[in-house]
Amino acid sequence: MPTPTPIALIKPANRLFATIDIDTHTNQFKAGQLPSTYYMTGAGPFLRLRPLHRSGFGMFEKATRVVGIYTGDWVSAETFQENRDTNDNILFSYLGDNATDITAAITALKGTAKTTQEIIDQNAAVHRPDLNNSIVYVDRGPLEGSVFGGDQVKTNNYYRPMKVVDATAADRNAHTGHAFATSEAAETFYGAHYPALLDQLMQLGQSAQMIKTDMSPRGVTVETPIQTDLQYYPEAMFENRAAQLNFLKRLYMSFV
């Protein structure tokens, strides 16, 4: 059931990770995006804050969530667990089903690191060195904060971005999304491209936020509460994605 703001879960202390679009041709995070950020306490609830999407802005809250990252061909008709255990066409790393384990798993990923340039060099090599279920954290360069995976069979020795996959429970079908990024990487991206915007989004956890519609000259201003599990302002309402982004930026900066 939709819940009106404020949503107490939405605050920096509960931010676990983010998802971000990666341009694998230029080897950098794509411009013109607002990365989604993910929040959790204990074993739940879990919330995805999605500021920009073709289907619109939304906050999606689940009582429980199991999370991993993967690259390769996920079988959507099979469960999270079935893919994890029997899908030989993916590289997979399990993050966990509670905030403590997910945080620890992300920290552990940072123990095996490559620079952005090392990722580029592997992928550009005429004779690519063999990779064997290699999952690496990118610790320097434009892709810092992302995770890439590579394997001789599964990715033909290319490093590919690892994407977030999550489900209500391990025996349920999963949602597959965009490339994983650490919470710090998302914060850096917002700070560089949209200063103060991520802080403004945190107002969704601090006070009631409204969409105000001016009905003048024959009416009054109508206030519609912003709630979870609903979608607002899809791209189809606008001339293009850039117009949608500009409108949503203004909306978020109006939060109080």
Side-chain angles (χ1 to χ4, degrees), residues 18-217:
T19 51
I20 197 163
D21 288 331
I22 294 175
D23 188 327
T24 55
H25 297 289
T26 62
N27 294 292
Q28 59 188 352
F29 299 140
K30 290 183 179 179
Q33 64 171 312
L34 299 178
S36 293
T37 49
Y38 296 73
Y39 303 80
M40 192 178 199
T41 55
F46 175 91
L47 183 141
R48 178 189 181 191
L49 172 54
R50 191 189 73 189
L52 180 67
H53 189 272
R54 64 179 176 271
S55 297
F57 153 63
M59 302 169 289
F60 305 96
E61 188 172 17
K62 305 294 182 181
T64 60
R65 213 67 178 163
V66 57
V67 184
I69 55 175
Y70 78 100
T71 190
D73 296 324
W74 189 271
V75 180
S76 59
E78 296 183 354
T79 67
F80 183 101
Q81 192 71 46
E82 287 170 336
N83 274 279
R84 176 186 179 183
D85 293 346
T86 65
N87 186 347
D88 293 330
N89 295 315
I90 60 171
L91 279 177
F92 180 89
S93 183
Y94 181 63
L95 297 187
D97 62 2
N98 64 81
T100 299
D101 287 354
I102 292 170
T103 299
I106 293 170
T107 299
L109 286 170
K110 297 178 181 180
T112 304
K114 296 282 187 182
T115 67
T116 299
Q117 190 59 52
E118 288 174 309
I119 298 294
I120 293 171
D121 291 344
Q122 172 74 25
N123 290 348
V126 176
H127 301 290
R128 294 182 296 281
D130 286 346
L131 299 174
N132 181 23
N133 288 319
S134 176
I135 296 175
V136 298
Y137 171 77
V138 183
D139 65 350
R140 276 184 286 165
L143 296 174
E144 182 176 350
S146 60
V147 175
F148 277 65
D151 181 73
Q152 184 176 359
V153 175
K154 297 171 184 177
T155 69
N156 195 24
N157 286 324
Y158 286 102
Y159 274 121
R160 299 300 190 199
M162 300 285 284
K163 300 178 181 180
V164 172
V165 56
D166 54 291
T168 302
D171 62 354
R172 301 287 294 275
N173 287 6
H175 168 263
T176 55
H178 300 277
F180 169 91
T182 61
S183 57
E184 296 87 354
E187 291 156 12
T188 298
F189 182 91
Y190 273 98
H193 296 275
Y194 309 105
L197 191 61
L198 187 57
D199 290 339
Q200 279 297 111
L201 286 167
M202 293 304 94
Q203 294 300 319
L204 292 161
Q206 298 299 314
S207 54
Q209 303 301 329
M210 304 285 179
I211 294 173
K212 298 181 180 180
T213 305
D214 185 0
M215 298 295 187
S216 61

